[in-house]
Amino acid sequence: MVLVPTAVLIASVALVIPLAIAAVVSATALGLLQVALVWLLGIRAWPPPLSLVGFTAPGTSRFLTVLLCLAAVICSLGFAQLYTMTAIALGWDFLMPPELPAGLLLPGGFVVVSALALAVWTPIAEEAFFRGFVLRGMANRWGFAPALVVSAAVFAALHLSPALLLPVFVTGLLLGFLYLRTGSLWPCIAVHAAQNLVAVLTAWLAL
């Protein structure tokens, strides 16, 4: 309830300032809000015991953790590609994922700031909120399967784009399973960061 109007408000910033600056500002602000909500609603202690939301070493072996991360990235990107191809084949333009807008990244060496905001900070904040807080809290009360589905649906809905609902929902399922399987946020952050980095590199190469 707090995140949706905040996301809309912050997104409107792009109407009055350059898109690249707006992207960094919105990613930073939303991330800070998500981390603040995790602390306020879930931790409420200082210094915060980060293990409560999953900032711990994976409970799986290093080999299995890497294998699960690779599988999650491949399945997520693969489904997104299949979804896009299906939307094109059916002529359902309204379900076509939006292309990355021109001017998304800061110019020159400042592109590093965009990469840090979009491919490092955003994955950390979103995984702490959606997996470490929402999914973990629901799983404790409802059990694994309902929590996985509902948390993935919330994750998709808060991306505020009908065309992204299904692919982001599937990504949420994969990240949720990864979190519950490894018991750690770090693999989820790595997968989330890898996907966002693909988008950042795509936008950068298009400059």
Side-chain angles (χ1 to χ4, degrees):
M1 292 173 63
V2 173
L3 286 176
V4 171
T6 304
V8 173
L9 178 63
I10 293 176
S12 65
V13 171
L15 300 175
V16 295
I17 65 175
L19 177 60
I21 298 176
V24 171
V25 170
S26 61
T28 303
L30 280 175
L32 288 172
L33 177 59
Q34 288 164 345
V35 170
L37 287 173
V38 171
W39 184 85
L40 181 64
L41 300 177
I43 297 177
R44 287 178 289 183
W46 192 265
L50 297 180
S51 59
L52 286 180
V53 291
F55 284 101
T56 58
T60 49
S61 67
R62 183 175 301 177
F63 175 78
L64 181 57
T65 301
V66 171
L67 191 63
L68 289 170
C69 288
L70 289 174
V73 171
I74 292 171
C75 289
S76 181
L77 294 178
F79 180 83
Q81 183 64 30
L82 180 62
Y83 172 84
T84 301
M85 292 170 61
T86 302
I88 293 174
L90 295 175
W92 292 351
D93 294 340
F94 65 97
L95 287 180
M96 281 288 295
E99 295 184 1
L100 294 174
L104 178 64
L105 305 179
L106 292 170
F110 291 106
V111 71
V112 174
V113 177
S114 295
L116 289 174
L118 300 174
V120 178
W121 171 241
T122 293
I124 291 173
E126 289 193 349
E127 291 310 309
F129 182 78
F130 290 106
R131 255 58 68 180
F133 175 62
V134 176
L135 173 57
R136 186 164 182 163
M138 289 181 175
N140 289 338
R141 177 166 297 188
W142 297 349
F144 169 76
L148 182 63
V149 173
V150 173
S151 64
V154 173
F155 180 58
L158 287 176
H159 278 74
L160 305 178
S161 173
L164 293 176
L165 280 177
L166 187 55
V168 175
F169 174 74
V170 170
T171 298
L173 291 177
L174 292 168
L175 291 171
F177 175 80
L178 185 61
Y179 176 58
L180 292 169
R181 180 67 180 85
T182 63
S184 172
L185 278 184
W186 293 117
C188 305
I189 291 170
V191 171
H192 198 150
Q195 289 192 246
N196 285 16
L197 184 60
V198 168
V200 169
L201 288 175
T202 301
W204 181 61
L205 291 173
L207 292 176

